Amino acid sequence: CDDFTKLTAELFEESVKAVGGAFNVEQHAVSVFIEAEVRSTTVFQFSRLASWTMRNVRTALGQPPWDVLFPGTATGSLLFAQSISEIPERELQQPRVVVLDRAEGDEDIPHAIKGIVLGHELPHLSHLGVRARQAKVVFINSEDTTVFKDFKKGWISNAENWVKLVVSTGVEAISMEDAVDRPEAKQDSDTREKVKIDIPDPESKRALVVATTDVSKESAGTKASSAGILEAAAKENRDFKVPRGVVIPFSSFQRAVLAGGPELDYFGILQGFDELSLAEKEKRAEAVAATILYKFPLNQDIVRKIQGNFGKETLIMVRSSANCEDLEEMSGAGLYDSFANVPVSDRGAIAEAVRKVWSSLWTKRAALSRSQYKVPHEKVLMAVLVQEMLEAELSFIMFSNNPINGARNEVYIEMAVGMGETLASAEVRGSPYRLVYNTDKNRAEVLALASFSYSLVPGGDNLELEKKAVDYSKVKMTTNPGWREQMTRRLAKIAKFLEARYGKPQDIEGVVIGETIYLVQSRAMVK
């Protein structure tokens, strides 16, 4: 219904304003016309009926209309906001419990935020969900818009008061009360130490493009080196495959910095970044990103070598692999950009994608996140992982230990139709398949079936993904319980194999095409 409303608004908005203005119709009447048009449709009425049915089913089953992402207790001044990105810096000078209308799914969480109540569903393994667990931010989201509106209405008069939010996996999922022993309102202190980053010295003789199996964490980042380890592991384990790939290492980025000469002054514009105000940081980050995108020289041999490693008709994924992401101390997942649907035959498209990945080192979100975690900006580098693009039927993220309850004998899996960006962000409203496999009992449990109305699929002649309606009557994960259990068991077996190989619990991403499981990434679960 949300997507239908948005499309209807886009269809009518300009013409309604023009006609209303021409006939001197009152502005209020003009503004409510579209709303009335939406409410009169069968789609809206069916949506209301479905919502009513779901509420009653949930009540009959004794299920709370809340979904717990990270349980615990949070105390802070109560703040209501549309989204995290719209909260001004001046509102984050003390501990906060935040009630949010919406989330993008890949934003960073400011240090001042101790608890979040979100007004819609969110994949547990989205970037935002992972960051909340990493930072131990108490987090719960509503699965019922009416319940969320009632919650807001009941607490809106307490805005700016100190409250205690308690989120539990028990019968009462959420409770909030005035904080009796609240601390004095003061600027929230950040005592985190700087994240240690090991930077390789520039190696002028290193190849511009290298095989994934020939890179290390020090030369190309955790993501790229992990792809090489997975490729080697796939040769000894027939349970999964890994897409073909190559890497543009850190040294190529470093050479681009040096090749720009003194007039480029890349490191000069990084000086004093953390001492700037929020507005100045955003402006400076924009300037650095533009410098990389438009002024960094890109050796065309890089493009030619990429083309030489893939077939002419191949589409590729051009992915970030920074030295400050996928760390055990700091995930950084989703902060840096990757691009799908890049044709190998198009040199310009490859060059554009590489430049965009390099420049994503300095998106506002990435730069502010590094400041929050005290990462030294002058030491961050970007490598580029280039892999054959897989048009996924199903995408999954799985943890070899259950991140929700900490159980080591449980593999937790979230899965969606189409490309994995559906899971990593909140761009598509709904919930994924949620599965748990207990390795002691050899038993698969279905926590939820997917409800996303759309999947994300490769677009036409661009680097973006497009929405496509999902028909769950044709998806085996929904219609075939036997196949679903077998797939869950196969994925769990792979998760435990990789946990043993790496020597620590793993956060794994991959896709399913037909009966074949492909892995694109495995990294240590954040501490």
Side-chain angles (χ1 to χ4, degrees):
C1 188
D2 289 341
D3 292 309
F4 175 79
T5 301
K6 181 181 177 182
L7 290 171
T8 303
E10 292 174 351
L11 178 65
F12 283 106
E13 187 172 17
E14 293 302 322
S15 57
V16 168
K17 286 181 179 178
V19 173
F23 286 92
N24 295 317
V25 178
E26 290 185 11
Q27 183 60 40
H28 173 70
V30 173
S31 64
V32 300
F33 175 85
I34 296 174
E35 181 182 348
E37 190 68 24
V38 170
R39 288 177 176 273
S40 67
T41 64
T42 305
V43 172
F44 180 81
Q45 298 303 326
F46 182 79
S47 175
R48 289 189 64 186
L49 178 61
S51 297
W52 178 86
T53 303
M54 286 301 295
R55 281 198 300 272
N56 282 276
V57 168
R58 190 180 289 116
T59 300
L61 295 176
Q63 295 180 339
W66 297 95
D67 184 27
V68 177
L69 272 78
F70 189 78
T73 300
T75 302
S77 178
L78 183 61
L79 177 67
F80 292 85
Q82 291 288 312
S83 66
I84 288 178
S85 61
E86 294 179 30
I87 301 175
E89 186 179 27
R90 66 177 181 275
E91 300 288 355
L92 297 171
Q93 302 306 308
Q94 58 181 330
R96 288 287 195 176
V97 171
V98 183
V99 179
L100 296 175
D101 288 342
R102 67 176 186 274
E104 297 172 10
D106 60 355
E107 55 267 72
D108 205 35
I109 302 175
H111 182 63
I113 296 179
K114 307 303 180 184
I116 295 175
V117 181
L118 178 63
H120 60 78
E121 295 170 299
L122 184 77
H124 286 206
L125 302 187
S126 64
H127 295 316
L128 180 59
V130 170
R131 288 172 194 154
R133 281 190 295 276
Q134 180 184 2
K136 294 182 171 54
V137 174
V138 176
F139 201 138
I140 190 168
N141 58 266
S142 174
E143 296 181 332
D144 188 316
T145 54
T146 302
V147 170
F148 179 70
K149 288 177 181 177
D150 289 343
F151 178 85
K152 283 182 64 177
K153 185 178 179 180
W155 282 96
I156 194 70
S157 61
N158 292 67
E160 299 302 325
N161 290 348
W162 281 73
V163 297
K164 181 170 74 171
L165 171 68
V166 180
V167 172
S168 169
T169 55
V171 176
E172 187 178 13
I174 179 173
S175 66
M176 196 153 73
E177 60 185 37
D178 292 323
V180 178
D181 300 320
R182 63 177 183 249
E184 293 183 7
K186 59 182 179 180
Q187 183 166 341
D188 192 37
S189 60
D190 187 351
T191 58
R192 278 174 289 204
E193 297 180 355
K194 287 191 175 184
V195 176
K196 182 181 179 182
I197 305 289
D198 293 321
I199 304 298
D201 292 329
E203 299 179 35
S204 59
K205 293 183 180 180
R206 180 177 290 279
L208 295 170
V209 177
V210 296
T212 54
T213 51
D214 291 337
V215 298
S216 64
K217 182 173 68 175
E218 291 72 26
S219 65
T222 302
K223 185 184 293 181
S225 62
S226 174
I229 296 171
L230 282 178
E231 192 173 325
K235 293 178 180 178
E236 63 182 72
N237 188 322
R238 302 295 182 180
D239 291 336
F240 64 90
K241 294 183 179 181
V242 176
R244 188 156 36 103
V246 294
V247 179
I248 305 171
F250 294 144
S251 54
S252 291
F253 181 89
Q254 291 170 314
R255 270 199 291 266
V257 173
L258 298 174
E263 64 277 7
L264 182 64
D265 194 26
Y266 174 71
F267 292 108
I269 57 179
L270 305 187
Q271 296 301 313
F273 183 87
D274 287 337
E275 283 68 51
L276 301 174
S277 69
L278 177 62
E280 291 171 328
K281 284 178 180 177
E282 291 182 345
K283 187 176 180 180
R284 180 73 63 85
E286 220 170 66
V288 180
T291 296
I292 297 172
L293 187 59
Y294 299 113
K295 295 184 179 180
F296 266 31
L298 178 65
N299 190 322
Q300 287 304 303
D301 283 343
I302 290 176
V303 176
R304 284 190 284 270
K305 288 179 181 296
I306 290 173
Q307 288 182 312
N309 277 278
F310 298 93
K312 292 181 180 180
E313 303 301 319
T314 305
L315 295 175
I316 53 176
M317 288 283 298
V318 181
R319 308 176 66 199
S320 66
S321 183
N323 60 348
C324 50
E325 66 176 322
D326 294 343
L327 305 175
E328 290 184 64
E329 298 80 9
M330 173 189 176
S331 167
L335 291 179
Y336 308 102
D337 294 339
S338 296
F339 297 92
N341 215 35
V342 182
V344 166
S345 58
D346 188 337
R347 288 188 177 184
I350 296 174
E352 178 188 3
V354 172
R355 288 182 185 278
K356 284 184 173 180
V357 170
W358 277 355
S359 68
S360 74
L361 200 60
W362 280 92
T363 61
K364 295 175 186 177
R365 188 174 69 246
L368 295 177
S369 176
R370 289 198 300 270
S371 285
Q372 177 165 295
Y373 283 92
K374 303 183 182 299
V375 176
H377 300 283
E378 71 280 2
K379 290 190 174 184
V380 299
L381 295 170
M382 181 66 77
V384 182
L385 172 62
V386 182
Q387 291 178 303
E388 181 179 359
M389 192 181 78
L390 303 171
E391 294 196 35
E393 295 175 11
L394 294 163
S395 295
F396 62 84
I397 300 174
M398 63 176 171
F399 283 8
S400 62
N401 287 182
N402 191 331
I404 311 302
N405 59 19
R408 296 183 178 182
N409 63 335
E410 292 182 351
V411 176
Y412 181 84
I413 305 165
E414 291 194 352
M415 184 176 284
V417 176
M419 303 294 278
E421 282 72 10
T422 304
L423 295 169
S425 72
E427 182 176 347
V428 181
R429 291 290 184 262
S431 60
Y433 296 100
R434 292 194 177 116
L435 311 158
V436 170
Y437 191 84
N438 188 303
T439 55
D440 289 343
K441 299 178 181 178
N442 293 319
R443 186 179 66 194
E445 181 181 359
V446 180
L447 303 182
L449 294 177
S451 64
F452 294 120
S453 299
Y454 295 94
S455 62
L456 294 177
V457 299
D461 299 325
N462 57 62
L463 307 183
E464 305 298 327
L465 298 175
E466 297 179 351
K467 288 183 178 180
K468 181 181 178 181
V470 179
D471 181 357
Y472 284 105
S473 69
K474 298 179 180 178
V475 180
K476 285 192 288 187
M477 278 298 290
T478 295
T479 62
N480 190 330
W483 190 89
R484 181 172 60 237
E485 182 170 352
Q486 181 188 49
M487 180 56 65
T488 304
R489 185 180 295 109
R490 290 175 62 193
L491 289 172
K493 181 181 177 183
I494 292 169
K496 287 303 183 182
F497 165 78
L498 292 176
E499 180 178 273
R501 185 177 181 88
Y502 283 92
K504 56 188 66 175
Q506 293 294 295
D507 169 359
I508 304 155
E509 297 179 19
V511 305
V512 178
I513 303 175
E515 298 297 322
T516 305
I517 297 171
Y518 291 87
L519 302 185
V520 297
Q521 184 169 318
S522 185
R523 59 192 171 207
M525 289 176 62
V526 293
K527 293 179 180 177

